[in-house]
Protein backbone atom coordinates (compact mmCIF):
# COMPACT_ATOMS: atom_id res chain seq x y z
CA UNK A 1 0.00 0.00 0.00
CA UNK A 2 3.02 2.32 0.27
CA UNK A 3 2.67 3.26 -3.41
CA UNK A 4 -0.71 4.76 -2.63
CA UNK A 5 0.36 6.79 0.37
CA UNK A 6 3.95 8.01 0.15
CA UNK A 7 6.51 8.56 -2.63
CA UNK A 8 9.57 6.30 -2.71
CA UNK A 9 12.33 7.51 -0.39
CA UNK A 10 14.73 7.81 -3.32
CA UNK A 11 12.58 10.48 -4.97
CA UNK A 12 13.55 14.11 -4.59
CA UNK A 13 10.72 16.49 -5.22
CA UNK A 14 10.86 19.80 -7.08
CA UNK A 15 12.14 22.44 -4.70
CA UNK A 16 9.12 24.71 -4.65
CA UNK A 17 9.11 25.43 -0.92
CA UNK A 18 8.95 29.16 -0.41
CA UNK A 19 12.25 30.99 -0.11
CA UNK A 20 11.84 34.71 0.55
CA UNK A 21 15.01 35.45 -1.40
CA UNK A 22 13.22 34.28 -4.56
CA UNK A 23 10.64 37.07 -4.33
CA UNK A 24 10.71 40.88 -4.48
CA UNK A 25 10.45 42.66 -1.12
CA UNK A 26 7.04 44.02 -2.07
CA UNK A 27 5.63 40.49 -2.39
CA UNK A 28 7.23 39.30 0.86
CA UNK A 29 5.66 42.27 2.65
CA UNK A 30 2.33 41.58 0.94
CA UNK A 31 2.38 37.97 2.17
CA UNK A 32 3.03 39.14 5.72
CA UNK A 33 0.11 41.56 5.51
CA UNK A 34 -2.11 38.97 3.83
CA UNK A 35 -1.53 36.57 6.71
CA UNK A 36 -2.55 39.26 9.23
CA UNK A 37 -5.70 40.16 7.29
CA UNK A 38 -6.75 36.57 6.65
CA UNK A 39 -6.25 35.60 10.31
CA UNK A 40 -8.43 38.56 11.27
CA UNK A 41 -11.04 37.41 8.73
CA UNK A 42 -11.05 33.90 10.25
CA UNK A 43 -11.46 35.35 13.76
CA UNK A 44 -14.42 37.43 12.58
CA UNK A 45 -16.15 34.78 10.47
CA UNK A 46 -15.41 31.30 11.82
CA UNK A 47 -16.73 30.00 15.12
CA UNK A 48 -16.61 26.24 14.54
CA UNK A 49 -13.27 24.97 15.91
CA UNK A 50 -12.99 22.13 13.39
CA UNK A 51 -13.49 24.49 10.42
CA UNK A 52 -11.11 26.99 11.99
CA UNK A 53 -8.42 24.31 12.22
CA UNK A 54 -8.90 23.42 8.55
CA UNK A 55 -8.68 27.07 7.49
CA UNK A 56 -5.56 27.72 9.56
CA UNK A 57 -3.86 24.64 8.12
CA UNK A 58 -4.74 25.85 4.62
CA UNK A 59 -3.10 29.28 4.84
CA UNK A 60 0.56 28.38 5.15
CA UNK A 61 3.11 30.71 3.55
CA UNK A 62 3.25 28.67 0.34
CA UNK A 63 -0.53 29.07 -0.03
CA UNK A 64 -0.35 32.84 0.43
CA UNK A 65 2.41 33.13 -2.18
CA UNK A 66 0.42 30.97 -4.62
CA UNK A 67 -2.61 33.23 -4.38
CA UNK A 68 -0.60 36.43 -4.79
CA UNK A 69 1.36 35.07 -7.74
CA UNK A 70 -1.75 33.63 -9.41
CA UNK A 71 -3.46 37.01 -9.21
CA UNK A 72 -0.38 38.87 -10.44
CA UNK A 73 0.29 40.46 -7.04
CA UNK A 74 -3.12 42.13 -6.98
CA UNK A 75 -3.56 42.12 -3.21
CA UNK A 76 -7.30 42.83 -3.13
CA UNK A 77 -8.10 40.09 -5.66
CA UNK A 78 -5.88 37.57 -3.87
CA UNK A 79 -7.52 38.37 -0.50
CA UNK A 80 -11.02 38.14 -1.97
CA UNK A 81 -10.51 34.79 -3.70
CA UNK A 82 -8.63 33.32 -0.74
CA UNK A 83 -11.37 34.22 1.74
CA UNK A 84 -13.97 32.85 -0.68
CA UNK A 85 -12.00 29.61 -0.68
CA UNK A 86 -11.97 29.54 3.12
CA UNK A 87 -15.77 29.87 3.02
CA UNK A 88 -15.91 27.09 0.40
CA UNK A 89 -13.92 24.82 2.72
CA UNK A 90 -16.75 24.94 5.28
CA UNK A 91 -18.89 22.77 3.00
CA UNK A 92 -16.18 21.10 0.95
CA UNK A 93 -13.63 19.87 3.47
CA UNK A 94 -12.77 16.17 3.64
CA UNK A 95 -14.91 15.36 6.67
CA UNK A 96 -17.96 17.10 5.19
CA UNK A 97 -17.49 15.23 1.91
CA UNK A 98 -17.21 11.90 3.72
CA UNK A 99 -20.35 12.68 5.73
CA UNK A 100 -22.33 13.72 2.64
CA UNK A 101 -20.99 11.39 -0.03
CA UNK A 102 -19.63 8.27 1.66
CA UNK A 103 -22.15 6.10 -0.19
CA UNK A 104 -20.78 7.40 -3.50
CA UNK A 105 -17.08 7.23 -2.72
CA UNK A 106 -16.17 4.20 -4.85
CA UNK A 107 -17.18 5.56 -8.23
CA UNK A 108 -13.97 4.51 -9.99
CA UNK A 109 -13.86 7.73 -12.00
CA UNK A 110 -10.86 9.22 -10.21
CA UNK A 111 -8.09 7.82 -8.05
CA UNK A 112 -4.61 8.63 -6.82
CA UNK A 113 -2.06 6.29 -8.39
CA UNK A 114 1.72 6.40 -7.97
CA UNK A 115 4.21 9.28 -7.98
CA UNK A 116 6.22 11.00 -10.69
CA UNK A 117 10.00 11.04 -10.68
CA UNK A 118 9.96 14.50 -9.08
CA UNK A 119 7.73 13.26 -6.25
CA UNK A 120 4.51 14.87 -7.44
CA UNK A 121 1.49 12.57 -6.93
CA UNK A 122 -0.36 11.25 -9.97
CA UNK A 123 -4.16 11.47 -10.16
CA UNK A 124 -5.95 9.41 -12.84
CA UNK A 125 -9.35 10.62 -14.06
CA UNK A 126 -11.44 8.13 -16.10
CA UNK A 127 -13.82 10.34 -18.02
CA UNK A 128 -16.03 7.47 -19.23
CA UNK A 129 -17.03 6.77 -15.61
CA UNK A 130 -18.47 10.26 -15.05
CA UNK A 131 -22.25 10.34 -15.01
CA UNK A 132 -22.72 13.86 -13.64
CA UNK A 133 -19.90 16.27 -14.46
CA UNK A 134 -20.99 18.93 -11.96
CA UNK A 135 -21.14 16.42 -9.12
CA UNK A 136 -17.82 14.86 -10.15
CA UNK A 137 -16.20 18.32 -10.14
CA UNK A 138 -17.17 18.74 -6.51
CA UNK A 139 -16.78 15.13 -5.51
CA UNK A 140 -14.82 12.94 -5.89
CA UNK A 141 -12.38 15.22 -7.77
CA UNK A 142 -12.16 17.91 -5.07
CA UNK A 143 -12.11 15.26 -2.37
CA UNK A 144 -9.24 13.39 -4.05
CA UNK A 145 -7.24 16.58 -4.62
CA UNK A 146 -7.58 17.52 -0.95
CA UNK A 147 -6.44 14.04 0.07
CA UNK A 148 -3.47 14.42 -2.26
CA UNK A 149 -2.56 17.74 -0.61
CA UNK A 150 -2.76 16.14 2.83
CA UNK A 151 -0.26 13.43 1.84
CA UNK A 152 2.24 15.55 -0.13
CA UNK A 153 5.81 15.46 1.11
CA UNK A 154 6.26 19.15 1.82
CA UNK A 155 9.73 18.54 3.25
CA UNK A 156 10.79 17.57 -0.27
CA UNK A 157 9.17 20.75 -1.57
CA UNK A 158 6.32 18.89 -3.28
CA UNK A 159 3.16 20.99 -3.44
CA UNK A 160 1.91 20.30 -6.98
CA UNK A 161 0.30 17.36 -8.71
CA UNK A 162 0.16 15.61 -12.07
CA UNK A 163 -3.18 14.66 -13.63
CA UNK A 164 -3.83 11.99 -16.25
CA UNK A 165 -7.19 12.39 -18.02
CA UNK A 166 -8.14 9.17 -19.85
CA UNK A 167 -10.81 9.43 -22.58
CA UNK A 168 -10.95 5.68 -23.26
CA UNK A 169 -14.57 4.56 -23.66
CA UNK A 170 -15.81 8.16 -23.55
CA UNK A 171 -18.35 9.36 -26.10
CA UNK A 172 -18.34 13.00 -27.14
CA UNK A 173 -22.14 12.79 -27.13
CA UNK A 174 -21.83 12.80 -23.34
CA UNK A 175 -19.37 15.68 -23.26
CA UNK A 176 -20.18 18.41 -20.71
CA UNK A 177 -21.25 21.83 -21.93
CA UNK A 178 -18.52 24.39 -22.51
CA UNK A 179 -20.04 26.45 -19.68
CA UNK A 180 -19.60 23.51 -17.28
CA UNK A 181 -15.96 23.15 -18.32
CA UNK A 182 -15.44 26.90 -17.85
CA UNK A 183 -16.90 26.64 -14.35
CA UNK A 184 -14.62 23.71 -13.58
CA UNK A 185 -11.52 25.59 -14.77
CA UNK A 186 -12.54 28.61 -12.67
CA UNK A 187 -13.06 26.40 -9.63
CA UNK A 188 -9.61 24.81 -10.05
CA UNK A 189 -7.95 28.22 -10.53
CA UNK A 190 -9.66 29.73 -7.49
CA UNK A 191 -9.56 26.80 -5.06
CA UNK A 192 -6.25 25.21 -6.05
CA UNK A 193 -4.11 27.97 -7.63
CA UNK A 194 -0.59 27.07 -8.61
CA UNK A 195 -1.07 23.36 -7.84
CA UNK A 196 -0.94 21.90 -11.36
CA UNK A 197 2.48 20.67 -12.48
CA UNK A 198 1.48 18.77 -15.63
CA UNK A 199 -1.69 17.42 -17.23
CA UNK A 200 -1.72 14.41 -19.58
CA UNK A 201 -4.60 13.66 -21.96
CA UNK A 202 -4.73 10.06 -23.24
CA UNK A 203 -7.02 8.37 -25.81
CA UNK A 204 -8.66 11.67 -26.73
CA UNK A 205 -11.20 11.49 -29.60
CA UNK A 206 -10.45 13.58 -32.68
CA UNK A 207 -13.57 15.67 -32.08
CA UNK A 208 -12.07 16.84 -28.80
CA UNK A 209 -9.36 18.79 -30.62
CA UNK A 210 -11.97 21.32 -31.76
CA UNK A 211 -13.37 21.61 -28.25
CA UNK A 212 -9.85 21.94 -26.86
CA UNK A 213 -9.17 25.02 -28.98
CA UNK A 214 -12.14 26.68 -27.24
CA UNK A 215 -11.34 25.41 -23.75
CA UNK A 216 -7.68 26.41 -23.91
CA UNK A 217 -8.64 30.00 -24.71
CA UNK A 218 -9.82 30.35 -21.11
CA UNK A 219 -6.39 29.40 -19.76
CA UNK A 220 -3.32 31.49 -19.17
CA UNK A 221 -0.44 30.76 -21.57
CA UNK A 222 1.74 29.20 -18.86
CA UNK A 223 -1.16 26.91 -17.87
CA UNK A 224 -1.75 25.76 -21.46
CA UNK A 225 1.88 24.67 -21.67
CA UNK A 226 1.29 22.15 -18.89
CA UNK A 227 -1.17 20.14 -21.02
CA UNK A 228 0.09 17.30 -23.21
CA UNK A 229 -1.75 14.96 -25.59
CA UNK A 230 -0.20 11.50 -25.13
CA UNK A 231 -0.33 9.07 -28.05
CA UNK A 232 1.94 6.28 -26.79
CA UNK A 233 2.37 5.00 -23.25
CA UNK A 234 6.15 5.25 -23.47
CA UNK A 235 5.77 9.04 -23.38
CA UNK A 236 4.77 8.80 -19.71
CA UNK A 237 8.16 7.31 -18.82
CA UNK A 238 9.90 10.66 -19.21
CA UNK A 239 8.37 11.74 -15.91
CA UNK A 240 7.04 8.53 -14.31
CA UNK A 241 8.93 5.33 -13.45
CA UNK A 242 7.29 2.08 -14.52
CA UNK A 243 6.75 0.89 -10.95
CA UNK A 244 4.72 4.05 -10.26
CA UNK A 245 2.67 3.94 -13.47
CA UNK A 246 -0.58 1.92 -13.58
CA UNK A 247 -0.46 -1.14 -15.85
CA UNK A 248 -3.17 0.36 -18.07
CA UNK A 249 -0.61 2.96 -19.19
CA UNK A 250 2.40 0.72 -19.72
CA UNK A 251 3.66 0.53 -16.15
CA UNK A 252 3.73 -2.36 -13.73
CA UNK A 253 1.81 -0.81 -10.85
CA UNK A 254 -0.98 -3.31 -10.33
CA UNK A 255 -3.87 -1.28 -9.12
CA UNK A 256 -7.51 -1.52 -8.24
CA UNK A 257 -9.64 1.49 -7.25
CA UNK A 258 -11.10 -0.56 -4.39
CA UNK A 259 -7.58 -1.10 -3.00
CA UNK A 260 -6.95 2.61 -3.28
CA UNK A 261 -10.14 3.54 -1.44
CA UNK A 262 -9.36 1.13 1.38
CA UNK A 263 -5.94 2.77 1.75
CA UNK A 264 -7.73 6.14 1.89
CA UNK A 265 -10.13 4.87 4.52
CA UNK A 266 -7.13 4.04 6.71
CA UNK A 267 -6.11 7.69 6.49
CA UNK A 268 -9.65 8.70 7.49
CA UNK A 269 -9.46 6.38 10.50
CA UNK A 270 -6.08 7.81 11.51
CA UNK A 271 -7.52 11.33 11.25
CA UNK A 272 -10.65 10.38 13.15
CA UNK A 273 -13.02 11.02 10.23
CA UNK A 274 -14.53 7.52 10.27
CA UNK A 275 -14.52 4.57 12.66
Amino acid sequence: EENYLTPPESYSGPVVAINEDDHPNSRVEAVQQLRIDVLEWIDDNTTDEYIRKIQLNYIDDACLYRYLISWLDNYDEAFLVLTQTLEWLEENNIKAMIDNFEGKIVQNCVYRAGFCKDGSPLMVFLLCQVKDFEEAARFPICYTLQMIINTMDLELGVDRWTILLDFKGFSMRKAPAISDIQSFIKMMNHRFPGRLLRFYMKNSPWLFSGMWSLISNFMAADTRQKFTFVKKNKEFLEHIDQDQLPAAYGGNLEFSPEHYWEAERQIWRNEGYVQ
Side-chain angles (χ1 to χ4, degrees):
E1 294 184 0
E2 290 185 358
N3 284 332
Y4 303 100
L5 303 177
T6 56
E9 292 183 0
S10 60
Y11 283 16
S12 59
V15 182
V16 296
I18 296 303
N19 182 343
E20 290 188 355
D21 293 338
D22 295 335
H23 300 276
N25 290 336
S26 59
R27 182 178 294 153
V28 174
E29 293 171 359
V31 164
Q32 295 169 349
Q33 185 61 48
L34 185 58
R35 173 170 291 282
I36 293 171
D37 291 344
V38 171
L39 286 173
E40 182 178 336
W41 183 94
I42 292 175
D43 287 340
D44 291 341
N45 292 275
T46 306
T47 56
D48 184 283
E49 284 303 314
Y50 175 75
I51 300 301
R52 178 182 174 85
K53 179 181 177 181
I54 289 175
Q55 292 173 337
L56 291 175
N57 287 341
Y58 186 82
I59 57 166
D60 58 16
D61 283 350
C63 168
L64 301 180
Y65 274 101
R66 278 194 299 270
Y67 272 87
L68 277 172
I69 293 170
S70 296
W71 271 267
L72 304 177
D73 292 306
N74 184 319
Y75 185 92
D76 292 338
E77 285 293 322
F79 176 80
L80 174 62
V81 177
L82 177 52
T83 53
Q84 288 174 344
T85 298
L86 296 179
E87 289 180 328
W88 177 84
L89 282 170
E90 290 191 37
E91 295 185 359
N92 296 277
N93 63 78
I94 292 173
K95 186 177 187 303
M97 289 186 175
I98 293 171
D99 291 343
N100 295 329
F101 296 98
E102 188 169 0
K104 302 178 182 179
I105 282 175
V106 183
Q107 297 188 21
N108 298 351
C109 70
V110 58
Y111 60 87
R112 180 162 51 93
F115 291 82
C116 298
K117 294 179 181 180
D118 53 28
S120 64
L122 173 65
M123 185 182 88
V124 178
F125 184 19
L126 305 177
L127 198 54
C128 68
Q129 299 286 353
V130 176
K131 298 178 176 61
D132 184 317
F133 187 81
E134 184 177 355
E135 180 177 287
R138 181 186 176 196
F139 181 90
I141 294 175
C142 285
Y143 162 81
T144 303
L145 292 176
Q146 289 190 70
M147 287 301 296
I148 285 175
I149 290 172
N150 281 7
T151 55
M152 283 178 172
D153 193 335
L154 298 179
E155 292 185 0
L156 286 180
V158 178
D159 70 347
R160 292 178 289 174
W161 49 56
T162 295
I163 295 177
L164 193 167
L165 176 61
D166 190 348
F167 287 84
K168 185 176 181 180
F170 176 73
S171 171
M172 288 299 292
R173 291 177 295 179
K174 298 181 180 179
I178 292 293
S179 58
D180 289 337
I181 297 176
Q182 287 177 282
S183 297
F184 177 71
I185 293 173
K186 180 179 179 181
M187 183 274 292
M188 293 292 287
N189 287 339
H190 284 212
R191 308 303 172 227
F192 304 104
R195 289 289 194 180
L196 181 64
L197 183 59
R198 61 182 70 88
F199 194 113
Y200 295 116
M201 292 177 282
K202 185 74 166 63
N203 300 313
S204 59
W206 67 270
L207 283 174
F208 180 73
S209 60
M211 180 179 283
W212 175 248
S213 64
L214 295 174
I215 297 171
S216 59
N217 286 333
F218 300 106
M219 299 178 181
D222 59 338
T223 301
R224 285 197 299 270
Q225 294 175 359
K226 299 176 181 180
F227 286 74
T228 303
F229 286 92
V230 176
K231 294 183 178 180
K232 297 182 179 180
N233 286 334
K234 64 181 182 180
E235 297 174 42
F236 291 121
L237 299 179
E238 178 181 356
H239 295 291
I240 311 171
D241 287 330
Q242 279 192 308
D243 65 346
Q244 294 292 308
L245 185 65
Y249 307 106
N252 51 33
L253 178 63
E254 293 299 332
F255 189 89
S256 74
E258 289 77 11
H259 184 187
Y260 160 71
W261 286 114
E262 181 52 38
E264 293 287 79
R265 284 187 67 85
Q266 186 57 52
I267 295 177
W268 306 340
R269 295 184 189 103
N270 294 342
E271 296 291 332
Y273 295 150
V274 297
Q275 299 300 318

